[in-house]
Amino acid sequence: MSTTTKLDLASSAPAKASSAKPRRGLRGSPTFAFWLFTGPFLIGLAIFVYAPILWSLWLSFFEARFTVTPDKFVGFDNYKYMLTNDDFVGSLGTFTVFAAFIVPTTWALSLGLALLVNRMRFMRAFFRSVFFLPTAVSYVAAALIWKMSIFSGVRFGLMNTVLGWFGVENIAWLIDPNPPWYWLVIVTARLWLQSGFYMILFIAALQNIPEELYEAAAIDGAKSGWQTFWYITLPQLRATSTAVILLLLIAAYQAFDEFFNLLSKTTWGRPPLVELYYKALGESQDYGAGSAGALILTVLICAVTLLQGKIMGFGRGDESK
Amino acid sequence: MPKVRKSAPTSDTPGRVRRGGGVMSSTGLYIATGVAAFLFLVPFYIIVRNALSTDAEITGENWKIFPTDIQWGNIGELFSDETVPFAQSLWNSAVVATLHTVGVLLVCSLAGYGLARIPYKHANKVFYAVLGTLMVPTAVTFVPSFVLVSSLGWVDTYRGLIIPGLFSGFTCFLFRQYFLGFPKELEEAARMDGLGYWGAYWRVVVPNSLNFFAAMATITFINGWNAFLWPLVIGQDPSSWTVQVALSSYMTNQTVVFHLIFMATAVSILPLVFVFLFLQRWLVQGIAQTGIKG
């Protein structure tokens, strides 16, 4: 925190007598002003973020079906139930597979697009817009296009039409988990939707790399191309890459929209949030087990985030930029 | 923003040493980018093409690139279709996304400013309390949040759709990072002139930060418009559906009416695409300067 104490001195000097009474505190006391500015946000945060988490913690120790004010204390039974529940544990596995696909591919694609767009001499803004535009589209809309047109399992699906030109039989992309073609559908939808956003971050970072580094490398005899990429560009992008990977991981944990809409009727390929949705808000309305699951997930996310922060040196958050 | 840089003059192969390294010739670069851009545009074309076709033409054996005759009537049919209250859902989305944006900007910018600029000895502790919420993705708390909101009786209401989403730790964090970089001299001058924190904020800081506010507003509006999980949970009655929930309901309906689905998708995307194209420059700058760079 780099706030000055000078402001304290300045504030006491011009105490105009004409100012309205309720404003006096604002001019005088930084503490009062601080709470006035942050108060509304902090109260909301307490009610709508911290309180639900605490309530959830409380609920997770009760048998709470169809009620949020339960009276039957069950200790850790809900946790035991969730951790031995094949569907929930399986959903964590689904997430792991999904993250293993989506994080590296999005990182590579957005970096690749940034490198391409950044090297352009003309039409740069046009291409940047094209890649950025899908960011405006919702996951629901994308799921719809992917399911109803591109990866529709029947002959009029775009993908099957194109494959048909090469004599490939129709593929049931989403209906049949063997082989698991649905991963291709889900990963491509998300790649399309989010690569443009991360591309912008990479473009900003690329433009911050000092030109001198490349010049110095050229003098030292580094060949342009892969050599400068490996030894200059990539290391210079380290901070951005770290942030991007962290954001991608968190976004992957939150995956819900496209799984829900693409695979709604199936029991396979459910990430944790979809599983929790059905558990807590489905027919059983089991808030106790649902809360236990949400808390297990929260602990997992915190652990992964902190671990990644340790490994890659991100998350201190206090470096003022 | 795009600075066209001269290639390094010291290089004996002029024009080859460029940032990002160049293994590709200029032609190759444009071909690769062009192919990628084509693939990125295909889904947009599919929406428009199918939205203006008949069902027969969407599902027909011989898929034509252009529909044989354009069905403008699909727009009217979409809004008069009674199975999904689409017009109502558009209105709900507009209200929710707008109020969400106004609320988030107000609440989070004030908090971000307080955290960045007002000296208070426990400010760091408060900041960590905010930072801690970033680790718990909002989507993970939907079960407890739903429990809370339903016990407040806010299911199916605008309040339930809007208020819980206003307190975004991430947006507050971004505003704090931005205000930390805001030139201090301007505020100090204002305070010398007798303004309090409040006056300095409203009369000096905000008017000089409109670019950043505009970028954050765009991002927040897009997120509000595209939100799905929370509106799905809260909007149990069709009259309180947002446009995303309405779209989703098309996919789970028994009877699939293709041209209406695609027309609905097109209508749901169009406002944002316009916002995007007009505000692009701000958006790109805003995202680049949010401090995500780390």
Side-chain angles (χ1 to χ4, degrees), chain A residues 122-238:
Chain A
F122 53 94
M123 285 176 72
R124 186 203 295 241
F126 168 77
F127 281 112
R128 196 188 58 201
S129 306
V130 170
F131 297 130
F132 192 39
L133 200 57
T135 309
V137 180
S138 73
Y139 279 82
V140 183
L144 216 146
I145 304 159
W146 258 242
K147 184 179 184 171
M148 300 285 182
S149 185
I150 300 178
F151 288 101
S152 176
V154 283
R155 71 195 179 299
F156 65 84
L158 189 67
M159 215 51 187
N160 280 342
T161 303
V162 172
L163 289 175
W165 298 340
F166 302 96
V168 179
E169 290 286 306
N170 282 347
I171 295 172
W173 300 99
L174 291 162
I175 314 297
D176 186 2
N178 290 314
W181 284 118
Y182 66 93
W183 281 122
L184 184 74
V185 183
I186 281 168
V187 169
T188 49
R190 191 169 266 244
L191 272 177
W192 182 70
L193 284 167
Q194 64 176 14
S195 297
F197 178 82
Y198 296 103
M199 173 197 74
I200 299 291
L201 297 188
F202 276 123
I203 289 177
L206 282 172
Q207 289 179 345
N208 281 339
I209 301 178
E211 189 72 12
E212 295 75 39
L213 283 178
Y214 291 100
E215 288 164 16
I219 292 168
D220 289 347
K223 292 192 186 67
S224 64
W226 289 115
Q227 271 196 346
T228 46
F229 178 73
W230 274 115
Y231 295 108
I232 299 172
T233 312
L234 214 50
Q236 287 287 316
L237 293 178
R238 194 186 142 87

